């Protein structure tokens, strides 16, 4: 599936620190100069509230230690793992230290946190380990960029004094990785997980099946991977995850407070499955494997009972391996079915997902099948005036939650401009300003803030074959989508964002993350 068709406004009431809020917090947006020069004003996503303490700074040193509540021990070890390589410091973890992680009621919800930096201590407080983990991502951006290096650097390691109170606008902030068009192995997926975690992304949607490849082992249907996983776009060797591999991805993502959302795309985008099992075809004849990028030509046989036994067994095995609440059923570009056939298929398919204990997610075409709530409709369109957008609004009116990923705003595989070597352009060119310049809660008429589950930044891989290629397409646009999902709408300011984005470049360079130097950003 690639959908490839033939100063902040002042809000005095939110002074979270109980006193006057300094400029650059809830008072005024940081200017480009401030964002380039003050690390408290460089954070992406921009925090809800920042209060600087001029002249105050904490110095991370060789005697520093991380003190954490026992329930926060895993986050403490993660923080130590971030800081040790570049500093060379031991940074022991225990109950006492000058870097303090505390689990208490910070009053900022499941994912929010409070961070206070004085000359003596750095104190991070949150109600949950997830909140502490989000605070760690902010803390690492307060350190010099060299903190992201894999080997010892000379330092020093100052952290500017002040306080931050922060929480997400939307609870669902996702990235999507297509491993079906080109296969990406476990270590490559882990690398991407670490990269998206930096920007407080908390869901990773894995597109596990398509016409070009089936990428997840199904023990009851072994030829799906033996045959269907044996190639990819362009005719390469393909690949697949064993169930143990997939469980390792799920575990690793959870250690970064990221939930995996698996997708098995049906009834279309199914040539790899149809080629693996002839009986899934209406005529009983298996088509050859497919390595092109056209879409819309394949479909499970809607009228055969075996199609639903197949779906039940596949979804059952994947659901058992997936602790998260969601399972994505695809549903897009089913051009080989009539509307009547499509609705008939969904009437039988959607209860299967629910029977296995998962909330169904589908691309926005499935809204016409009026899925029973709870259900999530993922909008990928490019024209808010399109009739399908009205169907999404109707689904929202029925109580479905809408996940926003408009292709001409959030698809990270779209070319930046005509000179971009990788990617496609069927949804248009998507520069950084395009990725940042929209409001998820105002993009579709009839889909307001209360109906939006969150945002997602998909990256399709028809033209992408390795991690380096993923990175130059994801960065710097992924942080733009992340900020739209996390930060209050009133904080969204292009001039501030582009300056803060420029300040991320030395961090990416230190971490070995490739990125595209968009001319829209004043890179250092």
């Amino acid at each position: 599936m690639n959908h490839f068709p033939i100063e902040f406004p002042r809000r005095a009431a939110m002074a979270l620190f109980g006193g006057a809020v300094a400029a650059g917090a809830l008072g005024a947006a940081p200017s480009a100069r401030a964002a380039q020069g003050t690390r408290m004003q460089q954070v992406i996503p921009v925090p809800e509230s920042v209060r600087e303490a001029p002249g105050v700074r904490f110095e991370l040193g060789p005697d520093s230690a991380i003190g954490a509540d026992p329930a926060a021990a895993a986050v403490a070890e993660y923080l130590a793992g971030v800081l040790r390589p570049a500093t060379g410091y031991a940074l022991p973890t225990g109950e006492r230290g000058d870097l303090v992680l505390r689990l208490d009621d910070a009053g900022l919800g499941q994912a929010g946190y409070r961070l206070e930096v004085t000359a003596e201590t750095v104190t991070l407080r949150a109600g949950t380990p997830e909140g502490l983990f989000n605070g760690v991502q902010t803390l690492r951006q307060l350190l010099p960029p060299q903190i992201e290096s894999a080997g010892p650097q000379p330092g020093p390691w100052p952290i500017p004094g002040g306080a931050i109170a922060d929480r997400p606008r939307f609870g669902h902030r996702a990235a999507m990785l297509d491993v079906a068009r080109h296969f990406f192995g476990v270590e490559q997926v882990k690398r991407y997980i670490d990269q998206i975690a930096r920007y407080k992304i908390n869901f990773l949607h894995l597109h596990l099946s398509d016409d070009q490849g089936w990428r997840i082992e199904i023990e009851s249907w072994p030829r799906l991977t033996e045959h269907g996983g044996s190639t990819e776009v362009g005719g390469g060797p393909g690949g697949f995850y064993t169930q143990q591999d997939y469980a390792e991805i799920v575990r690793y993502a959870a250690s970064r407070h990221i939930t995996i959302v698996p997708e098995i795309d049906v009834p279309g985008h199914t040539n790899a499955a149809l080629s693996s099992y002839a009986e899934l075809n209406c005529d009983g004849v298996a088509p050859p494997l497919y390595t092109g990028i056209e879409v819309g030509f394949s479909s499970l046989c809607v009228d055969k009972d075996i199609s639903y036994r197949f779906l039940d067994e596949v979804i059952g095995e994947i659901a058992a391996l997936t602790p998260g609440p969601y399972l994505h059923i695809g549903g897009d570009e089913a051009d080989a079915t009539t509307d009547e056939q499509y609705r008939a298929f969904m009437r039988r398919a959607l209860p299967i997902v629910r029977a296995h204990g998962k909330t169904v997610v589908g691309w926005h075409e499935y809204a016409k099948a009026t899925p029973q709530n709870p259900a999530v409709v993922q909008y990928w369109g490019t024209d808010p005036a399109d009739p399908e957008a009205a169907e999404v609004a109707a689904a929202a009116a029925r109580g479905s939650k809408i996940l926003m990923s408009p292709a001409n705003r959030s698809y990270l595989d779209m070319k930046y401009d005509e000179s971009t070597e990788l990617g496609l352009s069927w949804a248009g060119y998507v520069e950084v300003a395009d990725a940042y310049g929209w409001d998820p809660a105002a993009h579709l008429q009839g889909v307001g803030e209360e109906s939006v589950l969150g945002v997602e930044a998909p990256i399709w891989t028809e033209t992408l074959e390795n991690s380096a290629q993923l990175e130059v397409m994801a960065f710097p646009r992924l942080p733009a989508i992340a900020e739209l999902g996390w930060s209050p709408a009133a904080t969204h300011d292009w001039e501030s964002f582009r300056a803060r984005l420029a300040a991320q470049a030395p961090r990416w360079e230190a971490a070995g993350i490739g990125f595209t130097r968009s001319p829209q950003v004043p890179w250092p």
Side-chain angles (χ1 to χ4, degrees):
M1 175 212 314
N2 68 333
H3 311 314
F4 177 46
I6 317 236
E7 279 193 308
F8 305 164
R10 181 169 294 277
R11 295 178 295 155
M14 294 186 65
L16 297 178
F17 291 101
V21 181
L26 295 182
S31 67
R33 178 180 299 176
Q36 289 174 332
T38 307
R39 283 199 297 274
M40 272 275 182
Q41 302 293 358
Q42 290 177 350
V43 176
I44 295 177
V46 63
E48 186 173 66
S49 171
V50 177
R51 184 177 64 191
E52 296 187 272
V56 176
R57 75 177 194 174
F58 173 88
E59 190 82 33
L60 185 67
D63 296 327
S64 290
I66 301 172
D69 295 332
V75 181
E77 283 299 327
Y78 172 84
L79 174 59
V82 168
L83 302 180
R84 285 171 181 153
T87 64
Y89 301 156
L91 292 169
T93 62
E95 294 188 5
R96 296 180 180 275
D98 51 358
L99 298 175
V100 182
L101 306 184
R102 289 287 176 258
L103 282 169
D104 59 28
D105 183 8
L108 293 168
Q110 173 76 20
Y113 64 91
R114 294 181 187 270
L115 175 63
E116 184 172 6
V117 182
T118 70
E120 293 78 28
T121 59
V122 174
T123 303
L124 183 59
R125 297 170 49 222
T128 66
E130 178 187 358
L132 291 177
F133 184 84
N134 289 327
V136 165
Q137 305 314 315
T138 295
L139 176 60
R140 68 196 293 184
Q141 291 188 42
L142 300 184
L143 282 153
Q146 293 73 26
I147 197 67
E148 304 297 343
S149 300
Q153 302 295 311
W157 305 108
I159 301 173
I164 291 174
D166 202 10
R167 57 185 159 190
R169 180 186 185 188
F170 296 114
H172 194 111
R173 305 170 307 281
M176 189 220 76
L177 179 60
D178 169 21
V179 297
R181 270 44 177 282
H182 281 103
F183 180 65
F184 289 78
V186 172
E187 293 307 312
Q188 291 173 304
V189 176
K190 287 182 177 180
R191 179 176 174 86
Y192 199 55
I193 286 170
D194 280 330
Q195 290 168 355
I196 66 178
R198 291 170 176 267
Y199 297 99
K200 304 182 177 74
I201 296 294
N202 64 341
F203 285 87
L204 177 61
H205 168 188
L206 289 177
H207 184 71
L208 293 167
S209 69
D210 213 296
D211 291 315
Q212 300 87 349
W214 187 284
R215 307 302 182 200
I216 176 71
E217 176 189 23
I218 304 298
E219 293 178 351
S220 54
W221 297 78
R223 273 182 58 81
L224 289 172
T225 47
E226 292 170 1
H227 178 72
S230 65
T231 192
E232 60 189 5
V233 166
F240 64 92
Y241 307 119
T242 66
Q243 293 198 358
Q244 291 73 26
D245 290 337
Y246 179 77
E248 172 61 14
I249 290 171
V250 169
R251 184 206 65 77
Y252 191 82
S255 76
R256 271 63 177 160
H257 295 273
I258 291 173
T259 299
I260 297 297
V261 179
E263 179 187 355
I264 297 299
D265 202 351
V266 289
H269 291 276
T270 46
N271 192 80
L274 299 174
S275 183
S276 301
Y277 287 95
E279 57 267 41
L280 297 176
N281 297 270
C282 287
D283 61 4
V285 178
L289 291 169
Y290 179 68
T291 60
I293 66 170
E294 299 296 327
V295 301
F297 60 88
S298 62
S299 179
L300 292 174
C301 190
V302 172
D303 297 327
K304 279 189 170 182
D305 287 340
I306 194 172
S307 295
Y308 305 97
R309 178 167 68 84
F310 164 80
L311 201 58
D312 183 46
E313 292 174 355
V314 166
I315 287 176
E317 290 193 33
I318 294 174
L321 295 167
T322 306
Y326 300 112
L327 194 145
H328 204 301
I329 202 169
D332 64 314
E333 297 171 328
D335 299 339
T337 63
T338 65
D339 280 355
E340 182 181 0
Q341 290 172 323
Y342 183 89
R343 290 186 175 91
F345 176 84
M346 288 297 175
R347 280 196 294 272
R348 297 186 66 176
L350 300 185
I352 292 172
V353 178
R354 292 194 292 273
H356 288 287
K358 300 301 180 186
T359 296
V360 66
V361 187
W363 299 104
H364 70 241
E365 290 94 324
Y366 102 121
K368 65 188 176 187
T370 59
Q372 177 183 333
N373 290 325
V376 177
V377 175
Q378 184 167 0
Y379 176 73
W380 63 269
T382 61
D383 182 2
D386 188 278
E388 287 184 341
E391 290 180 342
V392 174
R398 294 191 299 268
S400 293
K401 291 297 184 180
I402 311 302
L403 183 57
M404 295 298 295
S405 57
N408 56 344
R409 298 290 191 169
S410 71
Y411 273 30
L412 303 181
D413 57 298
M414 291 296 105
K415 294 176 180 289
Y416 291 83
D417 57 34
E418 62 183 6
S419 68
T420 307
E421 293 183 7
L422 299 168
L424 300 172
S425 59
W426 59 263
Y429 299 126
V430 180
E431 252 292 5
V432 183
D434 301 309
Y436 190 74
W438 61 290
D439 182 350
H443 191 71
L444 292 182
Q445 185 175 358
V447 181
E449 185 108 11
E450 71 286 350
S451 296
V452 174
L453 180 69
V455 296
E456 181 172 294
I459 190 163
W460 303 97
T461 62
E462 289 90 347
T463 69
L464 309 179
E465 302 180 31
N466 54 54
S467 292
Q469 292 175 342
L470 288 180
E471 289 163 19
V472 297
M473 299 305 283
F475 293 92
R477 295 179 295 187
L478 174 72
I481 304 301
E483 180 153 305
L484 297 184
W486 177 278
S487 304
T491 68
H492 298 169
D493 177 85
W494 167 243
E495 289 303 320
S496 165
F497 178 73
R498 64 194 287 266
R500 287 182 287 113
L501 196 58
Q504 298 291 307
R507 299 183 181 277
W508 298 335
E509 290 169 340
I513 298 174
F515 64 98
T516 294
R517 286 185 172 269
S518 164
Q520 296 184 339
V521 179
W523 304 109

